[in-house]
Amino acid sequence: MAPPNNRRPGFSRRAQYGLFISYMIAGGGVLVGAVLLLLSMFNPPAYAAVRGAFSELVTPIASGLDWTRRGISSVPGGISGYFGVRGENERLRAEVTANRVLVEQARSTTLENRRLRQLLKVRDRAADPVVAARLVYSTASSTRRFATLNAGSWQGVRPGQPVRGPNGLIGRIVEVSPNTARVLLIQDPESIVPVRRLRDGLPAIAAGRGDGLIEIRSAGAAQVLFEPGDAFVTSGTGGVFPPNIAVARVRRRSRDIAEAAPLASPDSLDFALVQQPFFPEAGPTTGGARAPEAAPR
């Protein structure tokens, strides 16, 4: 026998009350939805106020539920992060131990070099600064690249002295007047600077191109591969530019001749430092040979 279509909850008061309450909630929801729909159609400002009130009531509850959800979902990540931190700590400890060995080796090498220098009586030369002057003019749009300093012979500036900025080499002095000096920039086609590659000491020549860039050419080896980011510093060869001044950085990968960008741009500098040459030229001797004393009669 088929069951009847109209199912009643029977004589259970709880079931009857539950069914009645569900009907009331459904009817109330339909009524509230209809009221809100009519309110949004005929009175949008009032509907916006009601919506804002509901948002104010619902937002703290939603925030609390979201915080609870995030806290529960972060438990597995916290556990895995704990074990990951332990592994990372072990790796860092091993790295510190290996670095300690390298530091001890470097320290012993430094001490050995110092002892050998003392035995050989080797003395490091340092280029003394002459004056800090303002860069008042630079030819950025011409094929010849020059700059002008507001310091000259009255301030101790002489031709051949190197000029550098905080980021690297700028050029060298070529002309001097009492209160101004002309600087040949390293981007000029007539500029040639002996350099070396920073990562392996490869000797090279940095020559200006006249378009704001520099060409790096190997000074000895052939088929040299230049990688992007290779940094070049002055080598001290020639006795003009002191060693270890930043010059340029290679822009793209190439072989034999690399295109590099200078690290110091005179167009963005206000001041520059004029230094003594690394090996200044020897001046004329003032003392001649001592005259022999007259023989007594």
Side-chain angles (χ1 to χ4, degrees):
M1 181 176 181
N5 293 330
N6 51 349
R7 296 181 180 181
R8 295 184 177 181
F11 296 99
S12 175
R13 295 280 183 167
R14 181 179 300 176
Q16 293 177 1
Y17 288 155
L19 186 61
F20 176 74
I21 291 174
S22 62
Y23 285 155
M24 290 294 294
I25 292 174
V30 172
L31 181 61
V32 170
V35 171
L36 292 177
L37 179 62
L38 294 175
L39 195 63
S40 64
M41 294 175 61
F42 297 101
N43 195 352
Y47 175 72
V50 173
R51 184 174 57 187
F54 273 107
S55 299
E56 292 292 334
L57 293 176
V58 174
T59 299
I61 300 174
S63 300
L65 294 176
D66 183 68
W67 179 82
T68 304
R69 180 185 63 81
R70 289 176 179 272
I72 295 174
S73 61
S74 64
V75 171
I79 296 173
S80 62
Y82 171 75
F83 291 103
V85 167
R86 290 190 59 184
E88 185 70 16
N89 286 337
E90 293 177 359
R91 187 184 66 81
L92 290 176
R93 287 175 183 172
E95 186 175 348
V96 166
T97 303
N99 290 338
R100 187 180 295 114
V101 175
L102 294 177
V103 168
E104 293 297 332
Q105 292 177 356
R107 187 175 299 169
S108 63
T109 303
T110 302
L111 293 176
E112 183 69 16
N113 289 337
R114 187 179 303 170
R115 186 182 66 86
L116 292 176
R117 285 175 179 271
Q118 291 176 356
L119 291 175
L120 297 174
K121 303 299 181 181
V122 176
R123 184 178 63 179
D124 292 332
R125 295 185 57 87
D128 297 329
V130 176
V131 65
R134 182 183 293 273
L135 284 166
V136 295
Y137 176 73
S138 63
T139 56
S141 60
S142 174
T143 56
R144 299 304 307 272
R145 298 302 174 99
F146 293 96
T148 303
L149 294 175
N150 65 343
S153 58
W154 289 358
Q155 289 78 27
V157 180
R158 300 290 183 268
Q161 292 175 343
V163 182
R164 63 169 300 175
N167 297 327
L169 186 67
I170 296 176
R172 59 184 174 88
I173 303 295
V174 291
E175 294 179 6
V176 176
S177 59
N179 285 308
T180 59
R182 199 178 192 193
V183 182
L184 179 70
L185 303 179
I186 59 175
Q187 298 96 323
D188 189 85
E190 300 294 330
S191 173
I192 296 178
V193 181
V195 296
R196 63 178 179 87
R197 189 158 56 183
L198 197 57
R199 61 184 173 91
D200 57 359
L202 175 73
I205 299 296
R209 298 188 355 173
D211 59 353
L213 299 177
I214 296 175
E215 283 187 353
I216 305 294
R217 305 172 184 174
S218 174
Q223 299 296 320
V224 176
L225 182 63
F226 296 98
E227 297 290 345
D230 282 349
F232 286 84
V233 297
T234 55
S235 62
T237 305
V240 177
F241 303 101
N244 300 323
I245 300 178
V247 177
R249 190 180 300 275
V250 175
R251 301 180 62 185
R252 58 177 60 92
R253 188 175 186 180
S254 59
R255 192 176 297 273
D256 293 337
I257 299 177
E259 180 183 281
L263 294 177
S265 176
D267 299 330
S268 60
L269 294 177
D270 292 332
F271 290 90
L273 183 65
V274 182
Q275 292 180 306
Q276 292 288 354
F278 185 49
F279 282 102
E281 297 180 358
T285 58
T286 56
R290 186 177 180 183
E293 297 180 357
R297 295 183 180 177

